Amino acid sequence: MNGNHSHQLVQKLWNYCNILRDDGLSYGDYVEQLTYLLFLKMADEQSRPPFNKASAVPAGYDWPSLLARDGDELEIHYRHLLETLGKQKGMLGVIFRKAQNKIQDPAKLRRLIVDLIDKEQWSSLSADVKGDAYEGLLQKNAEDVKGGAGQYFTPRPLIAAIVDVMTPSPGQTICDPACGTGGFLLASHDYIAKHNALDRAQKKRLKSGTLFGVELVDSVARLCCMNLLLHGIGGNGTDEVPVEVRDALSSHGGRYYEMVLTNPPFGKKSSVTIVNEEGKAEKESLIVHRDDFWASTSNKQLNFLQHVFTLLKQHGHAAIVVPDNVLFEGGAGETVRRELLKQADVHTLLRLPTGIFYAQGVKANVLFFDRKPASEKAWTENLWIYDLRTNQHFTLKENPLKRADLDDFVTCYQSANRYQRKETERFKAFAYDDLLKRDKVNLDIFWLKDDSLEDSANLPAPEVIAAEIVEDLRAALEQFDMIAEDLKK
């Protein structure tokens, strides 16, 4: 099935979204309703010839039960159906948990069911067409700034480059403990399928038993499951569910993986809002206490970094997106950096440019490390830092990050043999002993001259400068928020 068909499908789905937006539905609400209905339609298709699979959906709460109704009766039945399916086990439960109907007008609901979804044979569309159509919706949802879904969406070109240097292979188990809508899991799946001639057993294992995700938020977990299903991952909804819905940081989870790829949520503190005796809401920061962590802290990113280390098997590989504060913060931050450099081979740091994330005010990096067996001697010999930030100017709209912008990093990384790396203007090695001599083992290292400070002729376009100023102010506000929180205590 060609890309053209995928494009037409996205157009059709979008045009209908715009009609529903007039009724106050957000992109997120729309993608969610589509998810419920698509799941039911595909389960129905799979239960008929030529597939003839047993459906996980109980009779009377299935696709034909929606087609048979109209008007208020349809709306009442749909509400009841969502509630019933949300109590089921497995994939059904994950997709329908706490599901609600957001389409108030029964006529529009009927049109969505009969005209838009029932007319396509979704099961016979290639995974590329369905998957691309759905990814297109998720991307639009991320761009919808007011909805705030951007924090669950990592830029796809960045994911592609990370997976390209990590080279996942058949038989490895791969986990994303903050999987959002499933970008890393999908890219890993596609990489393994594309770069290997898989036999039947390996193909089956790739669909079920290779990819594992954890997501805290119900509504995001369902989008992730649907994204995986449409790409043909996770069986037919009855197998082991690839995504668990829980707080990844609260416990280890009991499984170890060969590879962990993740972009944990930004935002500084793990905190819960509690209502105190006077009825005022108070934020109480959650310090995570775990025996397998090196430091107890309420800094969520430091906790995710420690968590990722604990998830790896010996000689397992990790790539994790971390904000700048993880590189320089004292106290728990210093403890975590010292232990990580000692117990893992922390071999690469990619300094990311600003203006590439939908969640704004973020200065971030990707840290690459391998877990090693216990040893007297520290495992890290050299940390190689690639600076993709200095003199790089991206914005989400005018100049978005493209996969080609990361080509040089991927080449320098030398994933086939890291010992053949060569220093370049943007890529430098820093020895372990030198890192330890730095105040608080600060890894926030840069050496390139900022052109715009040297020469006003080198300034980027005014809208880019404006966007960068906004980013810097947002990042500063984040930091001030944290300081204010800490002073209150």
Side-chain angles (χ1 to χ4, degrees):
M1 193 60 79
N2 57 17
N4 193 20
H5 190 104
S6 152
H7 183 69
Q8 285 169 343
L9 199 59
V10 176
Q11 261 334 99
K12 242 161 78 171
L13 294 171
W14 271 125
N15 294 343
Y16 202 69
C17 178
N18 292 332
I19 296 171
L20 292 169
R21 279 179 72 97
D22 297 340
D23 288 2
L25 231 76
S26 71
Y27 282 123
D29 294 337
Y30 176 61
V31 178
E32 208 164 49
Q33 300 304 314
L34 267 183
T35 299
Y36 307 145
L37 296 170
L38 276 177
F39 184 87
L40 294 170
K41 169 72 160 97
M42 284 167 58
D44 184 55
E45 289 173 0
Q46 296 280 327
S47 71
R48 301 173 188 277
F51 310 102
N52 299 324
K53 289 183 182 159
S55 174
V57 182
Y61 297 98
D62 48 13
W63 187 248
S65 77
L66 289 172
L67 287 177
R69 290 171 170 81
D70 205 345
D72 290 345
E73 195 196 345
L74 169 65
E75 206 264 330
I76 291 161
H77 174 69
Y78 180 50
R79 246 187 9 234
H80 188 48
L81 170 150
L82 293 177
E83 198 182 327
T84 308
L85 297 181
K87 299 192 175 100
Q88 305 285 321
K89 285 191 174 50
M91 188 72 103
L92 270 180
V94 177
I95 287 195
F96 290 96
R97 189 171 296 133
K98 297 186 189 148
Q100 285 177 325
N101 174 27
K102 304 267 176 70
I103 303 173
Q104 303 312 323
D105 178 349
K108 287 189 175 144
L109 178 61
R110 171 93 183 151
R111 255 192 73 188
L112 183 58
I113 291 169
V114 177
D115 295 342
L116 206 61
I117 295 179
D118 200 52
K119 286 225 169 31
E120 285 282 351
Q121 266 297 106
W122 296 87
S123 299
S124 61
L125 292 176
S126 77
D128 286 350
V129 171
K130 290 184 296 217
D132 290 352
Y134 199 73
E135 275 274 299
L137 293 172
L138 293 174
Q139 172 113 24
K140 279 267 209 286
N141 185 25
E143 289 165 5
D144 188 19
V145 182
K146 295 182 290 300
Q151 59 180 317
Y152 304 111
F153 195 88
T154 309
R156 291 329 191 217
L158 176 61
I159 288 181
I162 291 173
V163 171
D164 283 346
V165 298
M166 293 294 281
T167 63
S169 56
Q172 287 184 323
T173 49
I174 300 164
C175 174
D176 182 346
C179 65
T181 52
F184 275 112
L185 300 176
L186 278 176
S188 303
H189 169 275
D190 293 349
Y191 184 93
I192 294 171
K194 195 173 125 192
H195 290 84
N196 302 277
L198 302 176
D199 62 33
R200 271 183 70 169
Q202 287 175 316
K203 280 183 180 157
K204 190 164 184 250
R205 169 108 197 254
L206 181 56
K207 299 279 176 246
S208 180
T210 289
L211 306 168
F212 301 88
V214 179
E215 173 51 51
L216 177 62
V217 182
D218 277 317
S219 59
V220 178
R222 75 168 116 257
L223 299 181
C224 181
C225 274
M226 194 66 203
N227 204 6
L228 295 175
L229 267 182
L230 290 172
H231 284 88
I233 303 163
N236 54 7
T238 50
D239 301 354
E240 183 179 27
V241 185
V243 179
E244 274 184 90
V245 187
R246 62 180 178 85
D247 179 356
L249 293 177
S250 63
S251 69
H252 178 278
R255 263 190 133 130
Y256 296 86
Y257 305 91
E258 269 99 3
M259 193 173 283
V260 177
L261 307 172
T262 191
N263 173 14
F266 296 115
K268 179 66 197 280
K269 295 285 188 219
S270 301
S271 64
V272 210
T273 304
I274 29 182
V275 178
N276 64 15
E277 283 164 32
E278 291 113 55
K280 287 202 185 104
E282 274 185 1
K283 268 206 177 334
E284 180 173 295
S285 74
L286 272 188
I287 294 183
V288 176
H289 295 285
R290 269 179 43 187
D291 296 343
D292 54 351
F293 277 16
W294 300 309
S296 297
T297 168
S298 64
N299 178 326
K300 213 175 190 165
Q301 277 78 40
L302 286 173
N303 284 329
F304 260 108
L305 182 55
Q306 296 183 86
H307 180 57
V308 165
F309 177 83
T310 67
L311 291 176
L312 288 173
K313 292 181 177 175
Q314 278 193 8
H315 306 290
H317 314 285
I320 175 175
V321 180
V322 293
D324 281 7
N325 69 61
V326 165
L327 303 181
F328 60 71
E329 195 167 289
E334 181 181 348
T335 306
V336 169
R337 286 191 295 279
R338 277 183 191 281
E339 290 300 331
L340 191 67
L341 290 167
K342 189 172 181 317
Q343 297 186 35
D345 177 7
V346 187
H347 51 81
T348 315
L349 174 69
L350 168 63
R351 294 179 66 88
L352 292 172
T354 57
I356 65 169
F357 291 100
Y358 294 106
Q360 279 140 345
V362 172
K363 290 200 154 147
N365 315 268
V366 190
L367 199 53
F368 297 85
F369 61 87
D370 298 344
R371 182 170 182 168
K372 297 293 186 184
S375 142
E376 284 301 299
K377 190 173 163 304
W379 279 102
T380 302
E381 289 178 7
N382 287 300
L383 169 62
W384 286 78
I385 301 180
Y386 188 98
D387 182 347
L388 189 64
R389 186 179 300 173
T390 310
N391 303 323
Q392 296 285 337
H393 304 282
F394 296 98
T395 58
L396 289 173
K397 292 270 185 300
E398 290 81 20
N399 183 27
L401 180 79
K402 296 179 292 299
R403 173 60 184 80
D405 296 316
L406 290 142
D407 281 351
D408 185 55
F409 165 70
V410 173
T411 306
C412 287
Y413 188 100
Q414 291 278 10
S415 50
N417 184 355
R418 288 210 316 268
Y419 300 98
Q420 292 179 348
R421 289 177 170 180
K422 294 185 175 56
E423 291 204 341
T424 67
E425 189 191 4
R426 286 200 179 271
F427 197 43
K428 297 261 181 276
F430 296 86
Y432 175 75
D433 295 338
D434 294 336
L435 295 173
L436 284 200
K437 287 180 195 142
R438 293 175 57 86
D439 182 40
K440 302 193 182 83
V441 195
N442 179 338
L443 303 181
D444 190 26
I445 303 170
F446 37 93
W447 59 92
L448 290 170
K449 280 204 306 230
D450 186 335
D451 289 345
S452 59
L453 296 177
E454 302 290 314
D455 175 7
S456 58
N458 283 320
L459 286 175
E463 65 271 19
V464 174
I465 296 176
E468 288 181 358
I469 291 170
V470 171
E471 284 279 318
D472 285 341
L473 288 171
R474 282 204 171 103
L477 279 171
E478 275 271 302
Q479 298 280 343
F480 277 127
D481 272 347
M482 279 142 32
I483 293 166
E485 285 285 318
D486 290 342
L487 288 173
K488 269 195 214 142
K489 297 194 193 77

